[in-house]
Amino acid sequence: MSLIEKKVLEKIQFYVTTKYSCGYIDGQDAQSIVATPYKNVNNKNFNSLVLNGFRRSGQYVYKPNCKDCSACIPIRLLVSNFNLSRSQKRVKKCLGNLSVKLLPLTFNEEHYNLYVEYQKKRHPSNTESEDSKADYNDFLVRSNVNSKLVEFRLNNQLKIVSIIDIIDDGISAVYTFYDCSDEKLSLGTMSIIWLLELCKKENLSFLYLGYWINESQKMKYKTNFKPYELMIEGVWQEVTK
């Protein structure tokens, strides 16, 4: 961390959470380090936090801090020399059939309904929260930084919603959910390709994709986009293979 970044973060303190069940590696406990108080996280210091491997969930900015595990590795795509694979080029052609809007980050009933269906298909759970809309707002809608919502439609039907944070050198993809009944369209890949194009348009260098976990099948897709950088021992390092 540079001296400038340290000064920017002077008003931020950090605490380590208690252990909780890891959502990516079965049987593993996890811990996170969280920036506090969350109201003091603003656009200026959030940029420094993202550069140092943090990401946002609602009003909370965190990064993994597990004592006996270092599986979660921050990953970002290099926008300027990004190369689409053959399959990604096909997906990009389909992207031209969708209408896309960059919107303020607000609650929308239609977005919420798509989110619920996505969770049922991709992350089924035996428990249901009575305050699920409140949970959705806490998880995705609340933000103290420069956040936007990207809405993708096909023939006016909602297909994808992406929540993003915009920082000085790039875009941080917070969360994306989509219509799981349209698997042939590769909607998750489509959203990343569109965000890469947005970065190019805005002269931003990086698209931050959160964490890559080699042991998690859910995270494998992130390294399908090349070239990318991984933060290893606190330093961003390019991977081209």
Side-chain angles (χ1 to χ4, degrees), residues 80-143:
S80 61
N81 55 344
F82 178 76
N83 293 309
L84 290 172
S85 67
R86 186 174 300 175
S87 62
Q88 289 165 352
K89 287 179 181 178
R90 290 196 293 268
V91 173
K92 185 177 180 180
K93 288 182 180 179
C94 296
L95 179 57
N97 297 323
L98 275 69
S99 61
V100 187
K101 289 183 179 179
L102 189 62
L103 301 170
L105 182 57
T106 57
F107 178 83
N108 178 293
E109 191 80 28
E110 187 181 15
H111 298 163
Y112 170 71
N113 290 336
L114 179 63
Y115 170 80
V116 170
E117 291 304 312
Y118 175 83
Q119 293 299 325
K120 287 179 180 177
K121 295 285 181 62
R122 291 304 174 99
H123 307 288
S125 173
N126 293 326
T127 61
E128 293 186 9
S129 172
E130 294 180 358
D131 300 316
S132 52
K133 285 187 180 180
D135 292 341
Y136 173 84
N137 276 309
D138 288 342
F139 175 42
L140 293 178
V141 179
R142 297 185 188 280
S143 172

Side-chain angles (χ1 to χ4, degrees), residues 1-235:
M1 185 182 296
S2 70
L3 180 61
I4 294 175
E5 288 171 335
K6 286 181 179 179
K7 288 184 177 180
V8 169
L9 298 177
E10 281 181 354
K11 294 183 179 180
I12 299 294
Q13 295 180 323
F14 301 92
Y15 74 90
V16 178
T17 66
T18 57
K19 290 183 180 180
Y20 54 90
S21 179
C22 179
Y24 299 102
I25 302 177
D26 291 340
Q28 188 91 344
D29 285 333
Q31 283 183 293
S32 295
I33 184 168
V34 181
T36 186
Y38 65 81
K39 291 182 179 179
N40 281 1
V41 176
N42 53 40
N43 290 323
K44 189 174 182 180
N45 53 36
F46 181 62
N47 183 79
S48 295
L49 288 165
V50 173
L51 286 175
N52 285 281
F54 285 76
R55 69 186 278 98
R56 184 181 66 81
S57 177
Q59 296 180 90
Y60 298 96
V61 179
Y62 72 96
K63 70 175 178 179
N65 189 59
C66 302
K67 182 179 180 181
D68 300 315
C69 180
S70 57
C72 295
I73 302 175
I75 181 172
R76 66 184 185 184
L77 306 185
L78 299 166
V79 174
S80 61
N81 55 344
F82 178 76
N83 293 309
L84 290 172
S85 67
R86 186 174 300 175
S87 62
Q88 289 165 352
K89 287 179 181 178
R90 290 196 293 268
V91 173
K92 185 177 180 180
K93 288 182 180 179
C94 296
L95 179 57
N97 297 323
L98 275 69
S99 61
V100 187
K101 289 183 179 179
L102 189 62
L103 301 170
L105 182 57
T106 57
F107 178 83
N108 178 293
E109 191 80 28
E110 187 181 15
H111 298 163
Y112 170 71
N113 290 336
L114 179 63
Y115 170 80
V116 170
E117 291 304 312
Y118 175 83
Q119 293 299 325
K120 287 179 180 177
K121 295 285 181 62
R122 291 304 174 99
H123 307 288
S125 173
N126 293 326
T127 61
E128 293 186 9
S129 172
E130 294 180 358
D131 300 316
S132 52
K133 285 187 180 180
D135 292 341
Y136 173 84
N137 276 309
D138 288 342
F139 175 42
L140 293 178
V141 179
R142 297 185 188 280
S143 172
N144 297 320
V145 298
N146 185 14
S147 303
K148 300 290 182 182
L149 183 147
V150 190
E151 180 188 87
F152 300 76
R153 292 182 180 273
L154 179 62
N155 299 323
N156 205 37
Q157 182 180 357
L158 184 65
K159 288 295 179 182
I160 316 170
V161 173
S162 290
I163 312 297
I164 62 172
D165 295 330
I166 301 173
I167 60 174
D168 291 349
D169 67 351
I171 290 173
S172 176
V174 177
Y175 200 78
T176 295
F177 51 96
Y178 49 84
D179 181 358
C180 295
S181 66
D182 250 334
E183 293 186 5
K184 291 182 180 180
L185 285 178
S186 300
L187 295 173
T189 298
M190 195 175 289
S191 68
I192 291 177
I193 292 172
W194 189 89
L195 289 175
L196 282 164
E197 293 298 314
L198 178 62
C199 286
K200 287 182 181 179
K201 181 181 176 182
E202 300 296 331
N203 294 315
L204 299 172
S205 300
F206 305 105
L207 176 59
Y208 293 82
L209 293 182
Y211 303 110
W212 171 71
I213 304 171
N214 185 53
E215 294 86 346
S216 174
Q217 190 63 36
K218 296 177 183 178
M219 298 292 189
K220 295 289 186 182
Y221 74 92
K222 296 184 181 183
T223 53
N224 292 334
F225 299 86
K226 298 180 176 66
Y228 58 86
E229 290 184 340
L230 298 176
M231 179 177 275
I232 300 171
E233 296 183 353
V235 179

